Every structure is written in C-alpha cells, then in structure tokens.
Amino acid sequence: MRFKLPLGAIVLTLLASCAGVDSTPATAFQVPEIEMTTAQLEHGAKIFKYKCAACHSMDVDKSQFFGPHLNQIMGRKIGELESYKFSDDVADFDFYWTLENMDAWLENPQQIVPNMCMPFLGIKNSEQRLALIGYMQQASTP
Ligand code: HEC
C-alpha cells in the first residue's frame, strides 16, 4: 500500500527535525510517497539531470554507470545494492534512506557521508530537495 502525504506536511516535519542522520533501523519500510504537482516533478527531474545524472541513473540496467543506480533508493539501507561495489567508507555506514536522512544528506552531503558523490556539495533549498526526492520516488520502477 502506498501512502500519500501532502508536500507541505513533509516540509514542516523536516523543518522540525534537526540535521544529522537517524541510524535507528526502521522496521516497516515503505517510505511515504511525496505527492507532487507536475511542475514540482519536472523541477525534480531537472535537478536530477543537472546534479546527479552524470553519475547516476534511475534505471536498474545502468547500475554500472559510475555510481550505483538510484532506482528504489528510498527505504534502502545505504551501500546495500548488490549490483554495485561500494567503497569501504560508504559500506561502513549504517542507516536507511528515510525521507529525513535523504533530506539531511542532500543538504549537507559531505558532512554526513564524506567523499560520497564528490563534487556534489548540497542543495540548500528545502523545496528543491523535496522535489528531487519526489522525483526519485516517481521515477522508480518496482
Ligand atoms: C561525480 C559523480 C556523482 C555525482 C554528481 C553524484 N553522485 Fe551519488 N554516488 C556516486 C558514487 C561513485 C557513489 C558510490 C560511492 C562509494 O561507494 O563510495 C554514489 C552514491 C550515492 C548514494 C548511495 C546509494 C546507496 O545505494 O546507498 C546516493 C543515495 C547518491 N549517490 C545520490 C546522489 C544524488 C541524489 C545525486 C545528485 C544530487 C548524486 N548522488 C550525485 C557518484 C556521484
């Protein structure tokens, strides 16, 4: 079952939480899908294209791009994709890509997982981060 949350509610939740990742392994793992307008989705797709697509694909068949594919990234544990050989630095991390963790990482990537995705230095605008996360959810295939 998929849950829909209005974007505004998520922004408020995220603003209320502080920076840093929560390493508590979540049990039920279905990250609620962010409800987005077509314009927000297009915005997210554009951000992905300019900031991520040089190294990542949303397509599982392109897992050997330069970075791992990001299909179904939300809800997965960091560095767990079997088809990709992660560096030890990343494989040693132990958290799940929840909405909160992904948002915190996108805001301060080098502070949270140093050296992953260099030279990506983060997205300060929370609406842009949410549009990107929503896009990664919508562009995922089961
Ligand atoms: C310059 C290339 C590059 C860019 C640009 C880049 N990444 Fe990465 N990314 C990587 C590489 C390489 C890894 C694997 C790192 C490792 O194993 O040390 C990675 C890992 C990741 C992971 C961890 C995957 C997992 O399964 O846990 C996520 C999430 C991620 N990138 C998201 C993004 C997003 C979102 C963007 C755009 C905002 C982005 N990256 C931009 C190269 C890049």
Side-chain angles (χ1 to χ4, degrees):
M1 182 167 54
R2 293 201 131 152
F3 298 94
K4 294 268 183 192
L5 282 185
L7 193 61
I10 296 175
V11 172
L12 286 180
T13 313
L14 292 175
L15 287 178
S17 66
C18 52
V21 293
D22 176 4
S23 62
T24 315
T27 43
F29 236 90
Q30 173 77 56
V31 173
E33 199 165 287
I34 301 170
E35 196 174 289
M36 301 213 295
T37 63
T38 309
Q40 285 166 327
L41 196 57
E42 281 169 4
H43 189 195
K46 205 174 273 180
I47 297 169
F48 186 85
K49 182 175 167 197
Y50 290 117
K51 296 197 183 281
C52 320
C55 306
H56 294 286
S57 170
M58 290 306 303
D59 183 343
V60 272
D61 296 331
K62 298 210 174 125
S63 56
Q64 298 309 330
F65 234 33
F66 171 61
H69 74 71
L70 297 178
N71 190 60
Q72 302 276 6
I73 185 64
M74 299 306 293
R76 197 155 61 219
K77 196 173 181 183
I78 183 173
E80 284 268 295
L81 197 64
E82 284 186 10
S83 59
Y84 188 83
K85 176 90 184 81
F86 288 90
S87 67
D88 291 344
D89 287 350
V90 169
D92 283 350
F93 274 88
D94 186 26
F95 67 82
Y96 287 78
W97 290 113
T98 59
L99 276 179
E100 291 77 9
N101 288 347
M102 179 62 81
D103 187 68
W105 175 77
L106 284 172
E107 185 175 15
N108 278 310
Q110 302 309 327
Q111 202 175 308
I112 289 175
V113 188
N115 303 326
M116 188 178 87
C117 304
M118 284 297 276
F120 174 59
L121 294 176
I123 299 172
K124 299 302 160 216
N125 181 305
S126 64
E127 297 284 339
Q128 290 180 7
R129 294 196 301 273
L130 276 174
L132 175 57
I133 296 171
Y135 166 76
M136 291 194 286
Q137 290 183 317
Q138 302 268 335
S140 289
T141 49

